[in-house]
Amino acid sequence: MRPRRHAPPSARGRHARARARPRTRPAPWLIALYASPAAIYLLVAARRRPPANGTPRRTPPSPPRVAGSVDGTARRRGARGAARFDARGAPIATGGPGDLAAANLEIPHEVAALAAEGLHPVRATAWAARRARRVAEHDESREPPENPPTPPNATRSTHRSVAVHADYAHPVFHFSPVNHVALESLLATHARAAVRVAVVGPELARDFRYANALGLTHFDRYAKLGFDARTVLVNAQTPLYGTTDADDAPGRRWWELRRAALAPRHLDFLTFFGRDDADVLPAPALTLFLRLQSVWKHGGLAIDFTYVFVAPVPADARGFAVAPDACGPAAPWAYHDRAPPPLLVHAPAPRDAAISRALAAFDACGADERCADALARDPARLLLDAWRGAGLANDLAGGVAWLNCDETAAGSLLDASSTITLADAAGGSYAVWLGPAATDGRFAPAAPASPLGALFSAGPPRAVAVDQRAACAREIAGRPLSDRPRCFAFQRGVAGASRDADETHRRAGASSCAPTLFIPSAQKGASSALAALLATHPQVLRPVRGSHYKEPGAYINAVYYRQSLARRASRFPWFRDDEPFVALDATVTYASESRLPAMRAALDAPRAFVVFALREPVARAFSDFRFCYRPYFFSQDIGFDAATLGALDAYDACYGAARAFYAANRTAAADAAGADAYYGLACQDLKLRRRDPFGLVRKSLYVYQVLHYRAVHGAERVTAVSAEQLKRDAPGAGRAVAAHVGLCASFSFGAGQRVHATRARVAPRHAWSRAGYRRLRAWFEPYNRRLYAALRTTESSLGWEEVDYPSFRDDRLPT
Ligand SMILES: Nc1ncnc2c1ncn2[C@@H]1O[C@H](COP(=O)(O)OS(=O)(=O)O)[C@@H](OP(=O)(O)O)[C@H]1O
């Protein structure tokens, strides 16, 4: 086990965190995998330090180092000589596949693979034909079964509520549909279960999935179905014990001694992202302790997603079931060695005497790490002693059938030739352990004839109908199949990672639904507020990782090229093919990074919907400027006007052809020339070489991003919501998106919230001026006119009229 690193408690605030230096700096690509694009560029900016004497200095304007021409051809002189680009701005391949060093460029190998399919340079007709073909194939394979299986809730008990304490102490990549089926079997047999899934992680895990743990959005699906199931974050700050139980708090002494070390509340930003996937699962002792402590505190059942329940655990049964030794790590299908053995505990009432004794054993260990670890390695002994000590019988002895621990029967539940039924397998027990399938993440296909296969195809138990969800469910059920949201499985990438060829990864991709609702742009365009609003809809599910559980980044170069299909799929929530869910992906750099993220996403989900989160371009740029102010613009003593107006001449050169074509009313030619320039290296280089630092101007040039998405996903699938519209009428904006995506209309959106507001204050000399604002607006004007036409909207409808901002300094432009 690697030692854990702890953040200095004084490291507070976003920028302080960004500046904090860990002892070992994680690789930048690792940060890129986890952090939001916004966070990434803050971190990069944080490395640009002011001069040692502390005097802010101005970067002397450097002449453009790229020769851009109106047809989009460009030649960049780099350390390794000249890179060449074709007439449409695409790099001409000179090296091997995947130029990962140049994150903002199109990848020649992939571009070539798309071109071989007739899909690049972008041809809207080729994309439309491809979409239609895949949708037709999908529809054919989606005929409803003649005799739909009976949902498992047909026999479920409704007699009582039960508190269920769950965790999954295995790598999140192993959490597969098998584990979802395990939870569903519990929900089907325990009608009013209140499931709380504990995730151990520092406070930052509220906003980002913490390395190897489950994400906090993993079980949103069940809440949307009307079940009481959600994740709770546990760390040293969690008040496990109330204040009134001073005399009766078994385990508290151990928790007080060990909590800071075992479950740190703070990790600085870089350390948090520097965690590698192997070293973050909670110590087995902590996992066992938390299970027992929560059952002690609330009463109920502890589970770990490794069993299928076939009957409710009797209300008055107090007891436990621990996997026999044959199921342990010594077995050929060894489960993760940082998890305690599979274990079920049930105590109907809080403060159970036997569980108190088990917790007291932790107290007796004090700070001795090895002592508590020994308890976790042999929970059977611990619980047996506790039950005997309390003079109780273990009512759950035999409660779980450990079928797979017998080598002759191993895997028989999942075997296609098995005729065994779950009830037979259980042999009078309440649950059947799923064996290796529950923790190996191999997504073994369950044969339809097998008991597990039957559970898979039966679908989730019917939820308790609550509020608007019931109306929504009725509305969706009344629609023809072709009008309901579709699940498209993840596809092997075009020229993607070679691991995609691996059968296991393909199966993982094939059993998960790709995202179908994209918010691909723009930073500071209220994309977080829009994503949060949409996620309140009963059909919309957030990703299970990424910044604020909104930016999984699955299609950006850094992720797409480094991760297998299984990892790509693991960023999104799981649901079944016929469930009317829509998975959201609001990674705000998809549209500006290059043309590829849109294309990759469309290959996965040919019927995706795209909603741009836009904001009046100059207001967006100023917000972005404020966001990057402390780490960069302040230290470089660059004001907003200087940061933006200085690049306009160079951009005029880049987009000269597009402007000329627009002026001559040759819209199609202008669109093509403009998009080529936008994604070609010549104009991107202005941003990269800090003529347009952080792309303040470039990112506000929405029209080419929108046109590209229209070409790839189909014009009718692309729409936009402005931050100004969201502020004016959030429920109306939500309704408009719901109508666009075909979500049920019975749901009423709330007023939404203001999120991700930038707190940075700008020194008066760096603020925007009214004259600069007007000049920039005038520069964007022709592009905006084309944007309005493409989106069939107007300036006033978007709320982009000129505004007299109180933050304007004065009317003088920089000399
Ligand atoms: N409901 C609503 N209506 C209008 N505007 C809103 C809303 N919620 C957030 N905001 C403003 O949006 C800005 C943050 O945008 P993003 O969430 O896209 O930022 S980020 O790229 O994810 O960092 C950020 O702008 P600034 O205040 O200029 O920083 C937020 O204040």
Side-chain angles (χ1 to χ4, degrees):
M1 184 177 107
R2 293 183 194 182
R4 290 176 181 237
R5 293 186 294 265
H6 304 295
S10 60
R12 282 175 212 277
R14 210 168 188 172
H15 305 311
R17 279 199 301 275
R19 281 193 300 269
R21 300 219 175 236
R23 263 176 272 158
T24 310
R25 185 178 292 283
W29 67 265
L30 186 65
I31 295 169
L33 293 188
Y34 287 95
S36 74
I40 295 165
Y41 75 68
L42 256 188
L43 291 168
V44 171
R47 293 183 182 184
R48 299 181 64 93
R49 305 198 159 274
N53 64 9
T55 320
R57 87 180 122 80
R58 173 181 284 270
T59 313
S62 53
R65 297 168 70 179
V66 169
S69 66
V70 290
D71 66 355
T73 55
R75 186 176 282 267
R76 180 177 62 147
R77 296 190 199 293
R80 277 182 282 152
R84 289 186 49 74
F85 301 88
D86 70 18
R88 297 184 62 91
I92 295 168
T94 51
D99 177 11
L100 292 163
N104 284 298
L105 306 183
E106 296 181 342
I107 294 176
H109 181 60
E110 189 174 349
V111 170
L114 284 162
E117 297 199 31
L119 297 174
H120 192 86
V122 177
R123 289 199 197 102
T125 47
W127 279 97
R130 186 186 174 103
R131 271 199 314 276
R133 217 170 39 242
R134 271 209 64 209
V135 168
E137 282 165 16
H138 181 269
D139 282 355
E140 264 171 39
S141 65
R142 205 179 176 232
E143 284 302 310
E146 276 180 21
N147 297 312
T150 319
N153 59 325
T155 56
R156 78 180 166 158
S157 147
T158 52
H159 71 286
R160 70 190 170 105
S161 58
V162 55
V164 180
H165 315 276
D167 62 50
Y168 187 72
H170 303 273
V172 66
F173 311 107
H174 292 191
F175 198 96
S176 75
V178 173
N179 304 99
H180 283 282
V181 166
L183 177 59
E184 288 172 5
S185 72
L186 178 114
L187 296 171
T189 47
H190 299 78
R192 286 173 288 143
V195 182
R196 298 292 174 266
V197 186
V199 175
V200 177
E203 286 299 293
L204 270 172
R206 293 194 194 285
D207 288 334
F208 305 87
R209 201 209 72 198
Y210 181 44
N212 224 356
L214 288 171
L216 293 198
T217 51
H218 244 100
F219 303 98
D220 284 3
R221 169 171 173 272
Y222 296 99
K224 301 250 169 187
L225 287 170
F227 293 104
D228 183 3
R230 60 184 156 89
T231 41
V232 289
L233 185 66
V234 179
N235 59 37
Q237 147 172 293
T238 309
L240 288 189
Y241 293 89
T243 49
T244 54
D245 51 13
D247 298 329
D248 176 21
R252 179 148 73 181
R253 185 174 124 76
W254 184 81
W255 172 241
E256 294 299 339
L257 284 169
R258 301 292 296 140
R259 64 181 182 172
L262 293 178
R265 172 186 171 186
H266 289 299
L267 281 185
D268 73 68
F269 201 68
L270 291 178
T271 308
F272 181 89
F273 287 111
R275 283 288 186 216
D276 75 22
D277 283 339
D279 71 352
V280 300
L281 290 172
L286 181 62
T287 302
L288 178 65
F289 174 81
L290 291 174
R291 288 177 194 179
L292 295 176
Q293 201 277 341
S294 53
V295 171
W296 172 83
K297 190 171 177 185
H298 304 282
L301 192 63
I303 63 159
D304 56 12
F305 299 100
T306 64
Y307 329 89
V308 167
F309 283 84
V310 294
V313 177
D316 51 356
R318 325 160 91 179
F320 60 91
V322 181
D325 285 349
C327 305
W333 47 81
Y335 48 80
H336 195 267
D337 68 356
R338 298 206 67 201
L343 157 75
L344 199 75
V345 183
H346 185 234
R351 294 169 186 254
D352 185 273
I355 295 183
S356 294
R357 283 177 170 266
L359 288 170
F362 279 87
D363 282 336
C365 284
D368 182 350
E369 213 175 305
R370 277 176 308 175
C371 166
D373 197 49
L375 296 180
R377 298 281 168 206
D378 192 2
R381 166 74 30 220
L382 171 73
L383 294 171
L384 205 59
D385 288 349
W387 249 258
R388 280 194 189 135
L392 295 169
N394 177 11
D395 303 331
L396 243 63
V400 175
W402 304 103
L403 195 73
N404 290 277
C405 299
D406 173 346
E407 281 193 33
T408 54
S412 63
L413 270 183
L414 304 175
D415 193 291
S417 60
S418 166
T419 52
I420 193 169
T421 68
L422 275 175
D424 287 345
S429 303
Y430 316 115
V432 180
W433 189 54
L434 286 164
T439 56
D440 67 8
R442 290 203 193 124
F443 295 86
S450 74
L452 208 67
L455 275 179
F456 270 114
S457 53
R462 232 170 283 127
V464 184
V466 282
D467 55 61
Q468 304 178 70
R469 278 182 284 249
C472 203
R474 275 196 301 277
E475 187 188 322
I476 296 159
R479 289 188 198 165
L481 213 59
S482 56
D483 276 2
R484 297 188 209 165
R486 322 285 178 90
C487 168
F488 284 91
F490 288 89
Q491 297 279 300
R492 186 176 170 186
V494 171
S498 58
R499 277 172 300 171
D500 285 3
D502 183 279
E503 174 63 20
T504 308
H505 290 289
R506 272 221 298 280
R507 265 200 253 128
S511 65
S512 312
C513 303
T516 47
L517 174 51
F518 287 94
I519 301 177
S521 181
Q523 273 157 352
K524 303 291 133 200
S527 58
S528 313
L530 179 61
L533 182 77
L534 296 178
T536 60
H537 192 281
Q539 288 180 263
V540 178
L541 296 176
R542 292 180 289 170
V544 298
R545 69 178 294 179
S547 167
H548 297 264
Y549 296 105
K550 99 182 221 276
E551 302 194 32
Y555 297 104
I556 63 173
N557 290 348
V559 174
Y560 194 79
Y561 264 85
R562 286 185 188 274
Q563 299 210 340
S564 66
L565 196 57
R567 290 285 172 112
R568 178 148 37 106
S570 78
R571 290 166 183 262
F572 297 97
W574 178 80
F575 53 93
R576 284 185 178 74
D577 191 3
D578 54 357
E579 288 182 277
F581 286 123
V582 166
L584 173 79
D585 182 340
T587 305
V588 285
T589 53
Y590 278 168
S592 57
E593 179 183 270
S594 80
R595 280 187 262 226
L596 293 171
M599 295 167 148
R600 293 165 182 156
L603 292 174
D604 273 349
R607 283 182 64 98
F609 292 92
V610 180
V611 184
F612 277 84
L614 305 179
R615 180 171 175 179
E616 192 281 311
V618 187
R620 191 218 70 81
F622 187 58
S623 173
D624 211 351
F625 172 82
R626 292 194 300 118
F627 188 63
C628 308
Y629 183 63
R630 276 285 150 193
Y632 180 74
F633 292 106
F634 172 73
S635 59
Q636 301 291 310
D637 195 17
I638 302 174
F640 177 74
D641 290 346
T644 49
L645 300 177
L648 297 187
D649 286 352
Y651 275 127
D652 279 339
C654 286
Y655 297 106
R659 284 196 177 232
F661 284 134
Y662 284 133
N665 267 339
R666 292 184 54 197
T667 310
D671 287 348
D676 283 348
Y678 189 80
Y679 290 110
L681 188 66
C683 299
Q684 288 222 34
D685 226 34
L686 296 177
K687 180 186 99 174
L688 298 176
R689 291 175 191 276
R690 301 202 182 266
R691 284 294 304 277
D692 174 18
F694 294 97
L696 297 185
V697 174
R698 182 177 186 276
K699 281 186 272 172
S700 284
L701 198 55
Y702 309 129
V703 59
Y704 299 118
Q705 305 176 30
V706 168
L707 288 173
H708 176 60
Y709 270 78
R710 281 164 51 99
V712 172
H713 288 269
E716 74 291 354
R717 305 201 148 253
V718 179
T719 189
V721 169
S722 71
E724 293 79 358
Q725 286 172 329
L726 207 57
K727 194 168 172 188
R728 204 165 55 200
D729 176 15
R735 267 196 312 279
V737 175
H740 175 72
V741 178
L743 302 175
C744 77
S746 344
F747 179 77
S748 306
F749 286 94
Q753 283 181 341
R754 189 158 178 246
V755 284
H756 274 196
T758 308
R759 285 193 292 271
R761 295 172 75 99
V762 171
R765 69 180 186 287
H766 293 142
W768 50 357
S769 71
R770 185 178 288 101
Y773 165 77
R774 286 192 176 141
R775 195 162 141 198
L776 258 186
R777 276 181 62 90
W779 188 83
F780 279 114
E781 167 64 18
Y783 302 106
N784 283 352
R785 258 188 277 124
R786 177 67 191 110
L787 177 75
Y788 304 147
L791 291 171
R792 291 193 200 83
T793 186
T794 60
E795 181 185 77
S796 64
S797 166
L798 289 171
W800 287 6
E801 299 96 336
E802 191 171 325
V803 175
D804 193 9
Y805 287 100
S807 50
F808 286 148
R809 50 187 172 89
D810 54 38
D811 270 339
R812 273 176 296 118
L813 287 173
T815 49

